Amino acid sequence: MTTATASAVDSAAKTLPRGRPDRPATGVGRPGFAWAAPAAVFFGLFALVPLVLVLVLSFTRWNGLGSPQFAGLDNWRGLLDDPVLVKSLWLSLLLTVLGVVVQTPLSILLGVWAAGRQRNRAVLSAVYFVPLLLSITAVSVLWRAVLDPNFGVPSQAEWLFGDGNLFGTQTGALGVLVLVSTWQFTPLHTLIYQGAARSIPEVLYQAAQIDGAGRVRQFFHITLPQLRNTIVTSGILMVVGGLTTFDTILILTQGGPGTDTTNSAYYMYQKAFKSFDFGAASAIALLLVLVATLVSLVMVRLTGYDRMRSTMEGV
Amino acid sequence: MRKRPNYLAGFGSLIWLFVVGLPLYVMLVATFQTRAEYARNGPLAFPDHFTLDNYVNDLNDGFGQYFLNTVVVTVCVVGIVLLLVPPLAYAIVRSDGKATGRVFRLFLLGLAIPSQAVIVPMFYLINEAGLYDNLLGVILPTAAFAMPVCALILTGVMRDITPELYEAMTVDGASPRRIFLRLVLPLSKSGLSTIVVFSSLQAWNGFLFPLVLTQSSENKVITMGLYDFQTEHGVDIPGLLAAVVLSMLPILLVYLFARRALVQGLMGVGGK
């Protein structure tokens, strides 16, 4: 699972530039760099070196055997002319936008509701949580079985599903992908909103009640504005998760029908481990990181999130 | 504050319960009936005769081995994380050198790297290191990618230890090692259990690294077993769903006994 860039940056801001008022006159008793070194070396070797290597490999031709050959800009040029790549980028964005649009309102409503301290809500929240425990693999396999055209639920409800083969059309297949990721990840975002909603000061609601504001007005004038930062954090998580959707597609649609659900992450996998064109795959991977970073940065800028640290609540 | 019950929201939450519950219900009832019965009665019917054959068959079909491999991977990943992350977090919170600050920034950068972005170079590196189709080749990258979030969670917890406690021990002439063992670790217990839960969840559910870095059946983990089962005999839905249940059983048990740590672990995913 990839994670919260924005909140990470926020936490970093809390940790690092504090001025360290507790610094003693001498450095006695403080851990040195040696304490961080093993983790840094390990992490560098298995996460940062590959990240640099992916840039290098994107300029090479490599089929997985032998050693990579320098190929200049060939991979990049090839990608510009590749209609499947362009389509896959659009599909990545489409899946991401659909995911955000469906999951955000749902998880805000569920999260705010679950933030109440009644007992039944705690019990229901515990049940809602279960999809998060399943691996993406297990979730995809489960839904594939549930939606199986011959033995699954669609065969029982023809009035709703028609001939029942949801995987046969682009609309159906995309719908399934959005449904499955909503099913699995809404609980996570509900949890995030639940934490944030709990930390909204109760006095705000008391004041609103004295002014005679109803429940709906309270929601739109207090709850939503107070959740603003959380919406950005959760949104960025959804965007990065959405752009990198992979396991679900591999198991549910294999990118089909045709290339109708081949998003960039899946296309990258195909290029590398089906066509053994590792150079082109590296270029796609890099493109994916760039797009994800760019979208996150734009979101942070547009929403003014980076200027709003002081009102950061809860999550 | 007085509150009227909110019927609309209550109703909505029940609908969501249905959405969450239906697939889980289908999964459970399917696993307790034979293939023929499932095909005849459909996915929503309750089984006439309970049978555990699906589970037994799966276990005989290699899932026992996959299960064991997953346990090995998970234990090793948690071990590496527990060995490396607490000293790192301690250094980040307490060291006054600039270098540790930079290291922390690199780990934060790591939060944003999706594992797909590095899978090709990882394949290259693991091959070069001679670790292809070896559980160690899965363990190392999985541990590395679990580290940023764990570091973030643990620095959050260690930052909350009051400076006076550190000062008191320093004045007594305690070495950093002694402070770490006697003060920091005992006071970070909640954070430690959170990172254990989080990293084991990640290792247990990992898919991409095993998919790309292992091949032979003696090195398969349980998510790979599920994936293969689905591609090879996907029509045996009760058998397949029994495998899904097997794959989540340990986590479900942890959930029942350590719900709080698990919830905190996942809230950590969203950034504390």
Side-chain angles (χ1 to χ4, degrees), chain A residues 2-3 8 12 15 22 30-31 46 50 126 128-129 134-135 137 143 183 209 215 244 246-247 268 273 289 315, chain B residues 1 4 6 13 19-20 23 94-95 108 111 114 116-117 121-122 159 167 205 207-208 212 248 255 262 266 269 271:
Chain A
T2 50
T3 30
T15 306
D22 51 332
R30 285 189 180 268
F46 289 99
Y128 294 163
F129 198 81
L134 278 80
S135 58
T137 326
W143 274 97
W183 189 80
Q209 255 188 354
R215 187 168 265 138
T244 54
F246 168 72
D247 323 26
M268 190 262 312
F273 299 98
V289 177
V315 170
Chain B
M1 187 167 85
R4 291 171 290 118
N6 189 343
S13 67
V19 173
V20 170
R94 285 296 291 172
S95 164
L108 293 177
L111 282 175
Q116 293 147 9
M122 195 67 82
R159 220 170 38 216
E167 293 311 313
N205 287 339
F207 180 76
L208 189 61
V212 169
M248 70 177 293
Y255 183 51
L262 205 61
L266 280 162
V269 182

Side-chain angles (χ1 to χ4, degrees), chain B residues 193-207:
Chain B
S193 58
T194 303
I195 68 171
V196 167
V197 165
F198 180 76
S199 54
S200 51
L201 205 62
Q202 244 187 344
W204 191 272
N205 287 339
F207 180 76

Side-chain angles (χ1 to χ4, degrees), chain B residues 159-222:
Chain B
R159 220 170 38 216
D160 290 342
I161 302 173
T162 54
E164 285 78 17
L165 288 173
Y166 288 115
E167 293 311 313
M169 285 195 79
T170 314
V171 168
D172 288 349
S175 64
R177 187 167 148 265
R178 198 179 151 83
I179 295 180
F180 179 68
L181 294 176
R182 290 290 166 83
L183 174 74
V184 178
L185 283 187
L187 288 181
S188 310
K189 264 191 197 134
S190 70
L192 291 173
S193 58
T194 303
I195 68 171
V196 167
V197 165
F198 180 76
S199 54
S200 51
L201 205 62
Q202 244 187 344
W204 191 272
N205 287 339
F207 180 76
L208 189 61
F209 290 135
L211 174 71
V212 169
L213 302 175
T214 64
Q215 191 175 32
S216 57
S217 65
E218 66 258 36
N219 287 321
K220 278 205 171 108
V221 294
I222 201 151

Side-chain angles (χ1 to χ4, degrees), chain A residues 63-80:
Chain A
N63 63 5
L65 303 165
S67 47
Q69 304 293 321
F70 184 71
L73 289 169
D74 281 7
N75 295 319
W76 293 96
R77 253 187 244 119
L79 287 181
L80 286 178

Side-chain angles (χ1 to χ4, degrees), chain A residues 57 62-65 246 264-285, chain B residues 116 118-121 123 208 212:
Chain A
L57 284 174
W62 184 45
N63 63 5
L65 303 165
F246 168 72
S264 302
Y266 184 71
Y267 193 48
M268 190 262 312
Y269 171 78
Q270 268 194 323
K271 275 275 184 215
F273 299 98
K274 298 283 175 237
S275 322
F276 303 105
D277 189 350
F278 288 93
S282 301
I284 302 175
Chain B
Q116 293 147 9
V118 298
I119 195 64
V120 170
F123 177 71
L208 189 61
V212 169

